[in-house]
Amino acid sequence: MKIDQIFQNNSDWVSKRLNLDKDYFVNLSKGQKPEVLYIGCSDSRVTAEEVMGAGPGEVFVHRNIANMVPNTDLNVASVIEYAVKYLKVNHVVVCGHYFCGGVKAAMQPADLGLLNPWLANIRDVYRTHQSELDAIQDEEKRYMRLVELNVQEQCINVVKTAVYQEAMRDREISVHGWVFDIHSGSLIDLKIDFKKILDEVMDIYKLAE
Ligand code: CO
């Protein structure tokens, strides 16, 4: 993609939007009230808004390598804090994707320098679910399952935050684990049984009264 082309595309987009609604950008500048916080992978093939059919103002987005919610990452923690406490989103989505390079890298025994501590979070997911994963003979299926389990574990990391637990106590808020299937373009709801997981997790991680 040529950089100059980006500015041409932008100017075409502005004209298109204004043709449909001359006040579009005036209204957009008034503020945001998104209902969804989306935490996804930085992968260039997984475009958050486009796959959901969402427009500007509808989704608060955070992306990083392999859609992680590490407990000590101030970046994602700030995003969750702001989205849940101040924007008051009703849904937190963690969306992974099959053929995720980050997850693949975590499955290889290799020194990847600065990426090591980040990938260790995914390796921890592998360790937590090692007996299930090691029982899957087919390497691609094992890789796909690790993508799903990683989404599940990152959803649990969301639930572990005090801000999410406070919101859960005070209003309706839910967390969703999804996978984007690059092969078909479909979003898959993993339908994780959060009630069960919550009960287990909250025994140990309960922060809010
Ligand atoms: Co990825």
Side-chain angles (χ1 to χ4, degrees), residues 41-43 45-46 64-67 96-103:
C41 184
S42 297
D43 193 303
R45 300 164 297 174
V46 188
N64 60 37
I65 292 173
N67 42 270
H97 67 103
Y98 296 134
F99 304 98
C100 180
V103 173

